[in-house]
Amino acid sequence: MSDSTVTETQLAEVQKLADNIRTEVAKVIIGQTDTVDLLLTALLSRGHILLEGVPGTAKTFLAQVFAHVTKLDFGRIQFTPDLLPGDLLGTNLFSFQTNEFSLVKGPIFCDMLLADEINRTPPKTQSALLEAMQERQVTIDGQRFPLGENFMVVATQNPIEQQGTYPLPEAQLDRFLFKHILSYPSRDEEIKIVEQHGQRSGTPGMADLGLKSVMTKAALAKVRKAISAIHLNDEVTHYVVDLVRGTRDNPLFETGASPRAAAMIASSARAYAALQGRNYVIPDDVKAIALPALRHRAVLSPAAEIEGRTADEVITAVIEQTHAPR
């Protein structure tokens, strides 16, 4: 595929859409530009994202604002220990008036599903998301129901409270394109947050924020089509594979990243390149997304854990040690 496949006009459309989304989100979300960029990259490359952060770092609020600005049909479910798969997917109920079963759809039937505190529900309910995240469909009583091409999961979890939680299994973590760690805002950002939101308690409704919806589903489909044609040459492809294989060859990891990770990185690197205004992928695009794309897929060995190493630390070393083409 040649570099000229994606035109300057198409690239300009990608950047205009992204800039409009960033501008609207920034009206109420102070800072978190890296989080918004990863949300954009995930949206454009049809990926799911796991947001991890302490309470009060605007994980839920950001997802709500992002869905409103992009005009995606938003669904939210609070994951709890007593949640059942039917509470998420829906169930067939019998009507005595019609003598027929009819499907009452669950909150999963939407474009963007906020899975709030996803690690607070047992594995049986967590696994109800597996088919949806991989195939964008669900099976209820043997019948399959499509969720649509725009279906996206934004999941959140709290890293400091482990009592009553159920860590996500590797098979489910592997279906997330990114795992992003939200940090505390800087002092100046926190002052702006207090100035802007300190006059009320709780989260304001989207109608009260004065935000505009700046995207249509037709525009999203058009931009995604352009991004799929972004050029990824053989050298960068080999670099992606070597980077992923580097997590498997490292003795500090018990399990490395899967081939699915390599395919996802290639796809999201195309979206990231387009957001930077290029119709081709360079190694720096891969490096920019490698850590959030790999940190949840590599499992530390017991020896590394005893030494106090972290997955981020080891993955950063793998990125630095993997030869990048010029």
Side-chain angles (χ1 to χ4, degrees), residues 85 88-89 108 123-132 137-138 172:
L88 178 62
L89 305 180
I108 201 170
K124 180 179 181 180
T125 304
Q126 290 176 1
S127 64
L129 280 173
L130 291 174
E131 181 183 11
Q137 67 175 28
V138 294
Q172 182 148 13

Side-chain angles (χ1 to χ4, degrees), residues 185-259:
S186 67
R187 184 175 184 273
D188 289 342
E189 289 172 344
E190 196 159 358
I191 289 172
K192 290 180 181 177
I193 291 171
V194 174
E195 289 175 345
Q196 184 165 341
H197 300 291
Q199 76 276 19
R200 56 177 169 245
S201 61
T203 302
M206 295 297 109
D208 301 326
L209 296 173
L211 296 176
K212 295 185 296 184
S213 297
V214 295
M215 190 189 81
T216 64
K217 292 181 181 180
L220 177 59
K222 186 177 180 182
V223 164
R224 281 175 170 171
K225 185 176 180 181
I227 286 173
S228 67
I230 294 287
H231 184 57
L232 185 72
N233 67 27
D234 290 344
E235 288 185 334
V236 178
T237 300
H238 297 167
Y239 174 57
V240 170
V241 171
D242 290 343
L243 199 57
V244 170
R245 293 179 69 86
T247 64
R248 297 180 217 151
D249 297 337
N250 194 306
L252 293 174
F253 284 129
E254 184 176 290
T255 306
S258 67

Side-chain angles (χ1 to χ4, degrees), residues 243 253 291 310-322:
L243 199 57
F253 284 129
L291 183 57
T310 66
D312 281 20
E313 178 186 335
V314 182
I315 289 170
T316 300
V318 169
I319 295 170
E320 292 173 351
Q321 293 163 9
T322 304

Side-chain angles (χ1 to χ4, degrees), residues 1-6 226-233 270 279:
M1 188 179 292
S2 65
D3 289 0
S4 60
T5 303
V6 181
I227 286 173
S228 67
I230 294 287
H231 184 57
L232 185 72
N233 67 27
R270 287 184 164 95
N279 56 8

Side-chain angles (χ1 to χ4, degrees), residues 50-54 59 115-119 155-160 166-168 173 179:
L50 175 61
L51 302 177
E52 182 175 284
V54 297
K59 302 182 296 295
D116 215 1
E117 296 191 276
I118 191 173
N119 59 334
T156 71
Q157 64 180 21
N158 175 355
I160 59 173
Y166 304 82
L168 293 176
L173 286 171
K179 177 184 177 182

Side-chain angles (χ1 to χ4, degrees), residues 56-177:
T57 48
K59 302 182 296 295
T60 300
F61 186 40
L62 174 57
Q64 291 173 322
V65 169
F66 191 82
H68 179 80
V69 167
T70 53
K71 210 174 182 179
L72 293 173
D73 180 27
F74 182 72
R76 176 184 177 178
I77 189 159
Q78 191 72 39
F79 280 66
T80 56
D82 60 347
L83 195 72
L84 297 173
D87 298 327
L88 178 62
L89 305 180
T91 186
N92 282 310
L93 295 179
F94 184 76
S95 171
F96 289 98
Q97 294 177 332
T98 62
N99 286 329
E100 293 179 346
F101 283 94
S102 60
L103 176 66
V104 177
K105 293 182 176 180
I108 201 170
F109 285 88
C110 61
D111 293 326
M112 178 182 287
L113 176 69
L114 172 60
D116 215 1
E117 296 191 276
I118 191 173
N119 59 334
R120 290 200 175 277
T121 201
K124 180 179 181 180
T125 304
Q126 290 176 1
S127 64
L129 280 173
L130 291 174
E131 181 183 11
M133 293 176 70
Q134 183 64 26
E135 302 174 41
R136 287 180 168 80
Q137 67 175 28
V138 294
T139 303
I140 302 172
D141 293 341
Q143 187 175 357
R144 293 179 180 176
F145 298 91
L147 295 174
E149 192 62 29
N150 296 322
F151 178 72
M152 174 183 181
V153 174
V154 179
T156 71
Q157 64 180 21
N158 175 355
I160 59 173
E161 293 178 350
Q162 301 305 320
Q163 185 175 2
T165 62
Y166 304 82
L168 293 176
E170 279 69 29
Q172 182 148 13
L173 286 171
D174 200 37
R175 283 166 167 77
F176 284 101
L177 170 58

